[in-house]
Amino acid sequence: MLHTWLLTMVLFSTPPNVNDILPAFRDSIIQGNGSGAAEMISEHAIYVVDSVLAHDPEQIARIVSYFGIELALPDNGITDARQMLTDILSDPSVAGMVMLMGVSPGDPISSGERTFIPVDWGFPGSRDTLFIEIVSENDQWKIDDYFETIPSGRGS
């Protein structure tokens, strides 16, 4: 029993190493572990999603519709971004898209005091790169934002 608990804690904890966060995030999504993946998202990012849910929930519904997910939006004005992200990241269509697109994180890049990880994705013959910004929260790396190019001139 103790071995099972320890293995579970290791498999579903947020990796402390900067090189491990995106592979662990990708693997959690592929395994259908949306709660584990959501735990790897920064509090700032959760706050931003919660704000969008409160002010323009249709924007999130449009985004997830690209994955074939129909999002049940709250009609009472109460939002729970973490639960919504858990549900989205647990959806098998998101796992399928991650596998189909061949998501492949690279080595971290520092830009000033910020850290980015390039992620190669797409279909053979049509690949692209996005840059995932990661931040340290409570001695663990978390996913904070993503960009088409590494932003310059923006303060942390």
Side-chain angles (χ1 to χ4, degrees):
M1 176 71 173
L2 178 60
H3 295 293
T4 303
W5 181 80
L6 288 173
L7 180 61
T8 301
M9 292 304 293
V10 168
L11 289 176
F12 298 126
S13 65
T14 303
N17 187 320
V18 68
N19 291 312
D20 297 337
I21 183 68
L22 288 181
F25 183 73
R26 177 194 57 210
D27 293 347
S28 289
I29 291 171
I30 291 171
Q31 295 165 5
N33 179 15
S35 62
E39 287 299 318
M40 295 180 215
I41 298 173
S42 75
E43 288 304 316
H44 172 259
I46 296 292
Y47 171 80
V48 169
V49 171
D50 200 46
S51 178
V52 172
L53 272 175
H55 297 97
D56 187 9
E58 290 298 323
Q59 178 182 358
I60 292 180
R62 285 189 301 274
I63 292 169
V64 299
S65 71
Y66 291 115
F67 293 100
I69 299 171
E70 188 173 321
L71 188 61
L73 298 171
D75 57 0
N76 58 4
I78 298 173
T79 61
D80 184 352
R82 187 171 303 281
Q83 183 58 53
M84 185 203 63
L85 288 170
T86 296
D87 294 345
I88 291 169
L89 296 171
S90 297
D91 195 289
S93 62
V94 174
M97 186 65 73
V98 167
M99 289 188 294
L100 182 65
M101 292 292 192
V103 175
S104 178
D107 293 326
I109 300 168
S110 292
S111 179
E113 294 183 19
R114 298 168 74 185
T115 304
F116 299 89
I117 298 178
V119 176
D120 186 47
W121 65 280
F123 299 107
S126 179
R127 306 282 299 163
D128 204 351
T129 300
L130 20 125
F131 296 88
I132 307 292
E133 184 172 10
I134 58 173
V135 295
S136 181
E137 281 183 3
N138 302 317
D139 297 323
Q140 294 182 329
W141 289 101
K142 304 272 182 137
I143 297 166
D144 193 57
D145 209 343
Y146 69 94
F147 305 90
E148 291 181 15
T149 60
I150 294 177
S152 61
R154 188 179 127 198
S156 295

